[in-house]
Amino acid sequence: MDIRVAGHQVATGESLRSHVSDRLSAIADRYFSRAVAANVTFGRGPYEDFTCDIVAPVNQGVVLKSSNRANDAHVAFDGAADKIERQLKRYMSRLRERRGEIDGAVIEESAAYTVFAAPMDEEEPIPPAPAIIAETKVDIPEASVSDAVMMLDLRNTNALMFRNPISGQYNMVYRRDDGTIGWVEPSSK
């Protein structure tokens, strides 16, 4: 397994590097048959605490991301690694559920949703035009809605665009302010 440990204004000693390597190798051995790569970056937070960011490209465009903050670099890493492990457990259980389909038949997904109003913040003025922070090029995966939600969780992002294989159209899932998942599907006109 290719593990890269870096520090931004933080010295990463041999003890920390071996701890990171041992823990990520154990996680990879448990969940993957082939080697994967991981980038672990340590830094200093605003209150003299340590931050740890883990980015691990797994397979088929799935990228696991996790971050944690603590007073010690080892504790910060362990918290981020625990998050990665929880994501992988959830991912593997969803894959096992998917393999449990009867004779490969497609089970139609039924989606129920509730629309909640976002809390009104009248004290903050609305800017005339929001700033565009970053634009990136990404591959848009073909996935069912449940798989797209799983990828949203694994990639640790707020939104994911995907191509729905049933309708053939582009859809989007996103994480709402209240923690629920929203699903945008274009009208079929």
Side-chain angles (χ1 to χ4, degrees):
M1 179 173 184
D2 180 28
I3 300 171
R4 295 183 183 174
V5 179
H8 290 291
Q9 300 177 353
V10 173
T12 56
E14 187 58 37
S15 171
L16 182 60
R17 288 178 184 268
S18 66
H19 177 68
V20 167
S21 180
D22 293 345
R23 177 84 190 267
L24 289 181
S25 295
I27 291 172
D29 290 344
R30 189 175 312 135
Y31 291 103
F32 301 105
S33 59
R34 61 181 177 84
V36 295
N39 293 320
V40 181
T41 307
F42 291 94
R44 282 289 196 177
Y47 301 106
E48 295 300 318
D49 54 350
F50 290 91
T51 61
C52 177
D53 297 315
I54 301 174
V55 178
V58 181
N59 60 6
Q60 299 174 352
V62 175
V63 179
L64 300 173
K65 294 181 182 178
S66 176
S67 62
N68 195 33
R69 179 175 294 193
N71 290 333
D72 181 52
H74 289 268
V75 176
F77 168 73
D78 285 335
D82 289 343
K83 290 178 185 177
I84 291 282
E85 199 160 10
R86 281 194 303 270
Q87 290 174 350
L88 284 171
K89 283 180 185 176
R90 205 171 340 157
Y91 176 68
M92 292 306 201
S93 69
R94 286 182 181 170
L95 286 179
R96 279 192 292 274
E97 288 173 6
R98 184 168 208 193
R99 289 184 191 133
E101 294 176 357
I102 302 170
D103 296 330
V106 176
I107 300 170
E108 186 175 329
E109 297 179 13
S110 59
Y113 61 91
T114 307
V115 177
F116 296 98
M120 297 296 291
D121 291 334
E122 295 186 25
E123 296 178 11
E124 295 182 22
I126 299 173
I132 297 174
I133 303 300
E135 293 182 17
T136 58
K137 292 182 180 182
V138 296
D139 293 329
I140 298 175
E142 183 169 322
S144 66
V145 177
S146 62
D147 288 346
V149 171
M150 177 177 57
M151 282 189 247
L152 180 78
D153 287 339
L154 290 174
R155 292 180 180 182
N156 197 19
T157 60
N158 292 329
L160 175 74
M161 179 177 275
F162 64 100
R163 186 172 176 276
N164 191 331
I166 296 172
S167 66
Q169 295 183 327
Y170 291 101
N171 290 199
M172 186 174 85
V173 290
Y174 62 97
R175 191 168 313 282
R176 297 174 51 90
D177 289 337
D178 60 359
T180 59
I181 302 293
W183 172 23
V184 178
E185 184 176 30
S187 63
S188 58
K189 285 187 177 181

